[in-house]
Amino acid sequence: MIEYRNLRVALLGAGSVGAQVADQLLTHRDELAARIGAGIELAGVAVRDLDAPRDTAIPRELLTTDAESLILSSDIVVELMGGLEPARTLILQALTSGADVITANKALLATHGPELFEAAGQVGAQLYYEAAVGGAIPIIRPLRDSLAGDRVERILGIVNGTTNFILDRMDTQGESMEQALATASALGYAEADPTADVGGYDAAQKAAILASLAFHTLVPADAVHREGITEVTLEQVVAARKAGYVVKLLAICERLTDPASGVDGVSVRVHPALIPDTHPLAAVHGANNAVFVEAEAAGSLMFYGAGAGGIQTASAVLGDVVSAARRHVVGGPGVAESTHADLPVLPISAITTRYQITLLVADEPGVLAVIAALFQSHGVSVETVQQSVTPADPARPSGAASAATLVIGTHEASEADLAATVAALTTSSVVHSVTSVLRVEGL
Ligand SMILES: NC(=O)C1=CN([C@@H]2O[C@H](COP(=O)(O)OP(=O)(O)OC[C@H]3O[C@@H](n4cnc5c(N)ncnc54)[C@H](O)[C@@H]3O)[C@@H](O)[C@H]2O)C=CC1
Ligand SMILES: N[C@@H](CC=O)C(=O)O
Ligand code: NA
């Protein structure tokens, strides 16, 4: 039997995920070695503060503040610091030295991915990132390997645990966004700066990664249409539930033809949307994620599980550690990212979907007809209208008409036509205000 030396693993960062990865590597060292066919050792853990409290006990002698020296003496480098720098520089150093690198850093991948993959390719090293999307859920490997022979048409899913946790708490407990975000941060789900979560940046970075893999096209994060959940109100969540919907932050990546230009390309978007309460995504609670993949031959596939959390995400990281270690044992160059299709990323105006628009209007005869005509003149077909009368505001002058709330559901319409309709509604003399415009998905 061939005797292998121990493979040395460097861990950069020992926060929510890193501390759990260290613990798993130490606890399951022998089991992992048996699966790999080589010894594996945690060579060291680069931290900012040697004395900071951690979620798991890491032997003091493994801690170091000298990440660079640790990298240079390691075969596999696991980056779990987050942020763009020094993560980018350290990963480049690791790849250049021939080490395989594992990262969960979607912000870095969606911003500097091409540079990192290029550096890996030059030395035949490999960059693994299963934990960067969907936490513990295997989604990178299925897209990259299992579906590599198929043609992915569409991806629809929930890819941010923190915002799903927040929207779920608002829906099921009536909590405020601030309350729910504080809990998500305490549980280790949120990013160091939670603006990345609530602003939809994290989901957009993940959508960019998924779309790049699915469509063999480089999709940078800033090409993704992004709307976060900061504008979503408790009233909207409650009203949605009453109407048979749930509000979710969705990521949607699809092949499309732009109706304006006739160009074939891909559309990648992240935004809050209404989904029917009977849709499987409506049953995704807490920090769980779920991703539907529609492929030409495979049909519809669903991937579901923990989208955030230290120990859950550590599972995906450990899977990558084992893959990297096995590659070291077998040898051979890493597999390059495939971006050969090079499809254009289309603007948001290219999409078609359904919409729900809530308006506060004058409660007067003929108003409904005016509004219906306005939709029709912009090519948007109305499917449902619900009206409720709001009692007259006591602050308004006496004799002022009471206002009515109209909730209008549309058939499929183009985003461009819908935007023109909303613009016309906001200037219409019978409309007091457009209170909410939400896309409706999953029908
Ligand atoms: N927490 C989660 O549920 C998930 C996190 N991720 C990603 O995993 C990465 C790590 O996330 P968390 O563990 O949650 O973050 P965290 O903020 O809990 O941990 C990061 C750790 O890295 C340390 N660090 C930062 N800069 C450093 C430096 N220059 N040198 C040494 N240590 C440094 C910090 O002090 C901190 O302890 C991020 O890229 C995040 O986006 C991915 C999936 C899920
Ligand atoms: N902050 C992220 C962590 C996992 O990627 C999330 O909430 O999904
Ligand atoms: Na994953």
Side-chain angles (χ1 to χ4, degrees):
M1 189 180 148
I2 304 168
E3 285 292 324
Y4 296 99
R5 68 182 170 88
N6 272 349
L7 292 167
R8 289 170 57 83
V9 179
L11 180 56
L12 312 182
S16 298
V17 184
Q20 300 294 342
V21 168
D23 187 54
Q24 300 280 310
L25 273 171
L26 293 168
T27 309
H28 302 300
R29 181 179 167 163
D30 293 344
E31 175 78 26
L32 292 171
R35 291 180 198 170
I36 293 162
I40 186 149
E41 94 176 86
L42 181 57
V45 183
V47 295
R48 263 199 295 227
D49 174 0
L50 295 173
D51 299 312
R54 305 184 202 289
D55 293 348
T56 66
I58 302 172
R60 174 85 186 191
E61 64 273 17
L62 289 181
L63 299 178
T64 175
T65 52
D66 183 0
E68 292 187 27
S69 302
L70 176 62
I71 286 170
L72 291 177
S73 66
S74 300
D75 305 289
I76 295 169
V77 174
V78 181
E79 183 277 307
L80 293 169
M81 301 183 312
L84 299 186
E85 287 292 356
R88 170 183 156 273
T89 302
L90 293 172
I91 289 180
L92 285 172
Q93 279 173 359
L95 292 169
T96 309
S97 77
D100 279 346
V101 173
I102 291 136
T103 181
N105 194 335
K106 51 269 168 164
L108 181 63
L109 289 168
T111 315
H112 294 295
E115 181 189 21
L116 302 178
F117 292 119
E118 165 77 17
Q122 291 209 339
V123 293
Q126 179 102 38
L127 182 57
Y128 297 83
Y129 52 99
E130 183 56 72
V133 184
I137 307 170
I139 184 66
I140 298 299
R141 229 178 244 101
L143 282 173
R144 185 180 162 139
D145 298 333
S146 322
L147 291 165
D150 207 335
R151 178 185 155 95
V152 176
E153 299 288 352
R154 191 166 198 256
I155 296 176
L156 165 79
I158 295 167
V159 295
N160 181 270
T162 300
T163 48
N164 199 64
F165 181 89
I166 293 171
L167 293 171
D168 191 37
R169 284 283 182 117
M170 290 167 78
D171 179 30
T172 59
Q173 323 270 323
E175 268 185 19
S176 70
M177 192 171 295
E178 295 69 29
Q179 261 178 310
L181 173 57
T183 313
S185 292
L187 292 170
Y189 302 150
E191 295 301 304
D193 175 3
T195 311
D197 298 292
V198 294
Y201 297 93
D202 177 83
Q205 289 153 3
K206 290 165 174 168
I209 293 170
L210 292 178
S212 298
L213 279 171
F215 305 132
H216 305 275
T217 286
L218 174 62
V219 178
D222 57 13
V224 177
H225 175 85
R226 175 194 52 78
E227 297 167 36
I229 64 161
T230 46
E231 307 289 309
V232 176
T233 63
L234 195 51
E235 290 71 34
Q236 275 179 323
V237 172
V238 172
R241 179 57 82 176
K242 275 194 192 141
Y245 293 104
V246 177
V247 182
K248 293 287 186 191
L249 184 71
L250 297 184
I252 302 174
C253 318
E254 55 196 342
R255 293 180 191 271
L256 277 188
T257 302
D258 187 342
S261 61
V263 169
D264 289 331
V266 296
S267 158
V268 191
R269 54 189 161 115
V270 164
H271 53 73
L274 296 173
I275 52 164
D277 58 10
T278 49
H279 192 280
L281 287 179
V284 176
H285 296 290
N288 286 312
N289 285 185
V291 182
F292 283 95
V293 178
E294 285 166 32
E296 196 174 79
S300 189
L301 307 168
M302 183 177 178
F303 300 85
Y304 168 80
I311 187 150
Q312 296 88 342
T313 305
S315 164
V317 174
L318 263 289
D320 280 349
V321 169
V322 171
S323 293
R326 285 178 176 155
R327 213 181 69 74
H328 269 267
V329 172
V330 175
V335 180
E337 295 296 289
S338 131
T339 55
H340 65 91
D342 201 17
L343 294 164
V345 183
L346 302 176
I348 187 69
S349 56
I351 71 153
T352 57
T353 188
R354 293 166 186 250
Y355 299 85
Q356 189 196 75
I357 302 111
T358 307
L359 307 170
L360 199 61
V361 300
D363 185 24
E364 291 162 8
V367 165
L368 202 53
V370 171
I371 288 171
L374 199 145
F375 273 82
Q376 198 185 5
S377 67
H378 288 89
V380 178
S381 167
V382 171
E383 187 187 24
T384 56
V385 180
Q386 283 177 315
Q387 177 172 350
S388 56
V389 176
T390 314
D393 181 350
R396 298 172 72 192
S398 68
S402 57
T405 297
L406 288 185
V407 181
I408 298 174
T410 75
H411 287 288
E412 276 224 340
S414 86
E415 180 87 9
D417 289 345
L418 194 280
T421 309
V422 172
L425 284 168
T426 51
T427 56
S428 165
S429 59
V430 300
V431 176
H432 294 329
S433 60
V434 179
T435 12
S436 150
V437 180
L438 284 168
R439 298 179 188 88
V440 183
E441 304 290 340
L443 281 174

PDB file of all heavy atoms in Angstrom, residues 106 131-132 135 159-163 189-191 197 202 206 289 307-308, ligand 2:
ATOM      1  N   LYS A 106     -19.006  34.326  -1.456  1.00  0.00           N
ATOM      2  CA  LYS A 106     -19.696  34.645  -2.719  1.00  0.00           C
ATOM      3  C   LYS A 106     -19.439  36.070  -3.168  1.00  0.00           C
ATOM      4  O   LYS A 106     -19.412  36.359  -4.365  1.00  0.00           O
ATOM      5  CB  LYS A 106     -21.193  34.373  -2.615  1.00  0.00           C
ATOM      6  CG  LYS A 106     -21.899  34.988  -1.437  1.00  0.00           C
ATOM      7  CD  LYS A 106     -21.916  34.049  -0.267  1.00  0.00           C
ATOM      8  CE  LYS A 106     -22.360  34.763   0.994  1.00  0.00           C
ATOM      9  NZ  LYS A 106     -22.743  33.891   2.066  1.00  0.00           N
ATOM     10  N   ALA A 131     -19.929  25.972  -0.576  1.00  0.00           N
ATOM     11  CA  ALA A 131     -20.607  26.687   0.515  1.00  0.00           C
ATOM     12  C   ALA A 131     -21.034  28.096   0.125  1.00  0.00           C
ATOM     13  O   ALA A 131     -21.798  28.731   0.861  1.00  0.00           O
ATOM     14  CB  ALA A 131     -19.687  26.756   1.739  1.00  0.00           C
ATOM     15  N   ALA A 132     -20.568  28.573  -1.039  1.00  0.00           N
ATOM     16  CA  ALA A 132     -20.862  29.963  -1.393  1.00  0.00           C
ATOM     17  C   ALA A 132     -22.323  30.178  -1.777  1.00  0.00           C
ATOM     18  O   ALA A 132     -22.828  31.297  -1.719  1.00  0.00           O
ATOM     19  CB  ALA A 132     -19.947  30.419  -2.532  1.00  0.00           C
ATOM     20  N   GLY A 135     -25.627  27.484   1.287  1.00  0.00           N
ATOM     21  CA  GLY A 135     -25.085  26.897   2.517  1.00  0.00           C
ATOM     22  C   GLY A 135     -24.809  25.417   2.362  1.00  0.00           C
ATOM     23  O   GLY A 135     -24.019  24.998   1.509  1.00  0.00           O
ATOM     24  N   VAL A 159     -32.261  31.999  -2.012  1.00  0.00           N
ATOM     25  CA  VAL A 159     -30.831  31.728  -1.811  1.00  0.00           C
ATOM     26  C   VAL A 159     -30.212  32.546  -0.680  1.00  0.00           C
ATOM     27  O   VAL A 159     -29.001  32.523  -0.508  1.00  0.00           O
ATOM     28  CB  VAL A 159     -30.028  31.946  -3.125  1.00  0.00           C
ATOM     29  CG1 VAL A 159     -30.440  30.938  -4.188  1.00  0.00           C
ATOM     30  CG2 VAL A 159     -30.184  33.369  -3.649  1.00  0.00           C
ATOM     31  N   ASN A 160     -31.047  33.261   0.064  1.00  0.00           N
ATOM     32  CA  ASN A 160     -30.503  33.977   1.219  1.00  0.00           C
ATOM     33  C   ASN A 160     -31.276  33.585   2.476  1.00  0.00           C
ATOM     34  O   ASN A 160     -32.489  33.807   2.570  1.00  0.00           O
ATOM     35  CB  ASN A 160     -30.562  35.497   0.995  1.00  0.00           C
ATOM     36  CG  ASN A 160     -29.972  36.254   2.174  1.00  0.00           C
ATOM     37  OD1 ASN A 160     -30.658  36.608   3.122  1.00  0.00           O
ATOM     38  ND2 ASN A 160     -28.664  36.473   2.151  1.00  0.00           N
ATOM     39  N   GLY A 161     -30.562  32.978   3.416  1.00  0.00           N
ATOM     40  CA  GLY A 161     -31.194  32.473   4.629  1.00  0.00           C
ATOM     41  C   GLY A 161     -31.704  33.586   5.534  1.00  0.00           C
ATOM     42  O   GLY A 161     -32.788  33.485   6.116  1.00  0.00           O
ATOM     43  N   THR A 162     -30.909  34.649   5.652  1.00  0.00           N
ATOM     44  CA  THR A 162     -31.274  35.736   6.571  1.00  0.00           C
ATOM     45  C   THR A 162     -32.595  36.386   6.167  1.00  0.00           C
ATOM     46  O   THR A 162     -33.486  36.580   6.999  1.00  0.00           O
ATOM     47  CB  THR A 162     -30.147  36.790   6.590  1.00  0.00           C
ATOM     48  OG1 THR A 162     -28.960  36.138   7.027  1.00  0.00           O
ATOM     49  CG2 THR A 162     -30.468  37.948   7.498  1.00  0.00           C
ATOM     50  N   THR A 163     -32.729  36.736   4.887  1.00  0.00           N
ATOM     51  CA  THR A 163     -33.964  37.410   4.456  1.00  0.00           C
ATOM     52  C   THR A 163     -35.145  36.449   4.500  1.00  0.00           C
ATOM     53  O   THR A 163     -36.271  36.866   4.799  1.00  0.00           O
ATOM     54  CB  THR A 163     -33.817  38.018   3.051  1.00  0.00           C
ATOM     55  OG1 THR A 163     -33.251  37.041   2.190  1.00  0.00           O
ATOM     56  CG2 THR A 163     -32.962  39.255   3.079  1.00  0.00           C
ATOM     57  N   TYR A 189     -26.467  33.741  10.953  1.00  0.00           N
ATOM     58  CA  TYR A 189     -26.925  33.638   9.558  1.00  0.00           C
ATOM     59  C   TYR A 189     -26.501  34.838   8.721  1.00  0.00           C
ATOM     60  O   TYR A 189     -26.201  34.700   7.538  1.00  0.00           O
ATOM     61  CB  TYR A 189     -28.463  33.562   9.484  1.00  0.00           C
ATOM     62  CG  TYR A 189     -29.092  32.416  10.231  1.00  0.00           C
ATOM     63  CD1 TYR A 189     -30.370  32.542  10.763  1.00  0.00           C
ATOM     64  CD2 TYR A 189     -28.435  31.197  10.394  1.00  0.00           C
ATOM     65  CE1 TYR A 189     -30.980  31.498  11.443  1.00  0.00           C
ATOM     66  CE2 TYR A 189     -29.028  30.160  11.082  1.00  0.00           C
ATOM     67  CZ  TYR A 189     -30.301  30.307  11.604  1.00  0.00           C
ATOM     68  OH  TYR A 189     -30.900  29.278  12.277  1.00  0.00           O
ATOM     69  N   ALA A 190     -26.534  36.022   9.352  1.00  0.00           N
ATOM     70  CA  ALA A 190     -26.336  37.256   8.576  1.00  0.00           C
ATOM     71  C   ALA A 190     -24.861  37.477   8.255  1.00  0.00           C
ATOM     72  O   ALA A 190     -23.972  36.953   8.936  1.00  0.00           O
ATOM     73  CB  ALA A 190     -26.893  38.433   9.360  1.00  0.00           C
ATOM     74  N   GLU A 191     -24.611  38.261   7.214  1.00  0.00           N
ATOM     75  CA  GLU A 191     -23.244  38.650   6.875  1.00  0.00           C
ATOM     76  C   GLU A 191     -22.727  39.630   7.939  1.00  0.00           C
ATOM     77  O   GLU A 191     -23.524  40.220   8.686  1.00  0.00           O
ATOM     78  CB  GLU A 191     -23.221  39.332   5.500  1.00  0.00           C
ATOM     79  CG  GLU A 191     -23.613  38.421   4.359  1.00  0.00           C
ATOM     80  CD  GLU A 191     -22.710  37.193   4.249  1.00  0.00           C
ATOM     81  OE1 GLU A 191     -21.487  37.343   4.137  1.00  0.00           O
ATOM     82  OE2 GLU A 191     -23.242  36.077   4.281  1.00  0.00           O
ATOM     83  N   ASP A 197     -27.348  41.252   3.169  1.00  0.00           N
ATOM     84  CA  ASP A 197     -28.520  40.368   3.151  1.00  0.00           C
ATOM     85  C   ASP A 197     -29.780  41.147   2.789  1.00  0.00           C
ATOM     86  O   ASP A 197     -30.433  40.852   1.785  1.00  0.00           O
ATOM     87  CB  ASP A 197     -28.682  39.695   4.519  1.00  0.00           C
ATOM     88  CG  ASP A 197     -27.500  38.819   4.884  1.00  0.00           C
ATOM     89  OD1 ASP A 197     -27.313  37.793   4.223  1.00  0.00           O
ATOM     90  OD2 ASP A 197     -26.754  39.162   5.819  1.00  0.00           O
ATOM     91  N   ASP A 202     -26.205  39.897  -1.292  1.00  0.00           N
ATOM     92  CA  ASP A 202     -25.748  38.513  -1.121  1.00  0.00           C
ATOM     93  C   ASP A 202     -26.497  37.592  -2.089  1.00  0.00           C
ATOM     94  O   ASP A 202     -25.885  36.757  -2.760  1.00  0.00           O
ATOM     95  CB  ASP A 202     -25.991  38.090   0.343  1.00  0.00           C
ATOM     96  CG  ASP A 202     -25.619  36.645   0.602  1.00  0.00           C
ATOM     97  OD1 ASP A 202     -24.432  36.371   0.839  1.00  0.00           O
ATOM     98  OD2 ASP A 202     -26.522  35.779   0.554  1.00  0.00           O
ATOM     99  N   LYS A 206     -25.029  35.381  -5.277  1.00  0.00           N
ATOM    100  CA  LYS A 206     -25.285  33.943  -5.455  1.00  0.00           C
ATOM    101  C   LYS A 206     -25.972  33.682  -6.790  1.00  0.00           C
ATOM    102  O   LYS A 206     -25.654  32.693  -7.480  1.00  0.00           O
ATOM    103  CB  LYS A 206     -26.144  33.429  -4.300  1.00  0.00           C
ATOM    104  CG  LYS A 206     -25.390  33.394  -2.983  1.00  0.00           C
ATOM    105  CD  LYS A 206     -26.336  33.242  -1.818  1.00  0.00           C
ATOM    106  CE  LYS A 206     -25.606  33.048  -0.502  1.00  0.00           C
ATOM    107  NZ  LYS A 206     -26.488  33.168   0.662  1.00  0.00           N
ATOM    108  N   ASN A 289     -33.060  27.382   2.487  1.00  0.00           N
ATOM    109  CA  ASN A 289     -33.058  27.817   1.093  1.00  0.00           C
ATOM    110  C   ASN A 289     -33.663  26.707   0.247  1.00  0.00           C
ATOM    111  O   ASN A 289     -33.709  25.545   0.682  1.00  0.00           O
ATOM    112  CB  ASN A 289     -31.625  28.035   0.566  1.00  0.00           C
ATOM    113  CG  ASN A 289     -30.944  29.304   1.076  1.00  0.00           C
ATOM    114  OD1 ASN A 289     -29.841  29.613   0.655  1.00  0.00           O
ATOM    115  ND2 ASN A 289     -31.575  30.037   1.962  1.00  0.00           N
ATOM    116  N   GLY A 307     -29.745  26.980   4.390  1.00  0.00           N
ATOM    117  CA  GLY A 307     -29.053  27.935   3.521  1.00  0.00           C
ATOM    118  C   GLY A 307     -28.025  28.760   4.261  1.00  0.00           C
ATOM    119  O   GLY A 307     -27.235  29.472   3.654  1.00  0.00           O
ATOM    120  N   ALA A 308     -28.039  28.707   5.573  1.00  0.00           N
ATOM    121  CA  ALA A 308     -27.093  29.481   6.382  1.00  0.00           C
ATOM    122  C   ALA A 308     -26.937  28.774   7.716  1.00  0.00           C
ATOM    123  O   ALA A 308     -27.699  27.871   8.053  1.00  0.00           O
ATOM    124  CB  ALA A 308     -27.600  30.911   6.579  1.00  0.00           C
TER     125      ALA A 308
HETATM  126  N1  LIG B   2     -25.821  35.639   5.027  1.00  0.00           N
HETATM  127  C1  LIG B   2     -26.018  34.494   4.206  1.00  0.00           C
HETATM  128  C2  LIG B   2     -25.192  33.354   4.697  1.00  0.00           C
HETATM  129  C3  LIG B   2     -25.125  32.250   3.739  1.00  0.00           C
HETATM  130  O1  LIG B   2     -24.755  32.393   2.590  1.00  0.00           O
HETATM  131  C4  LIG B   2     -27.473  34.096   4.205  1.00  0.00           C
HETATM  132  O2  LIG B   2     -28.193  34.563   5.086  1.00  0.00           O
HETATM  133  O3  LIG B   2     -27.884  33.344   3.318  1.00  0.00           O
END
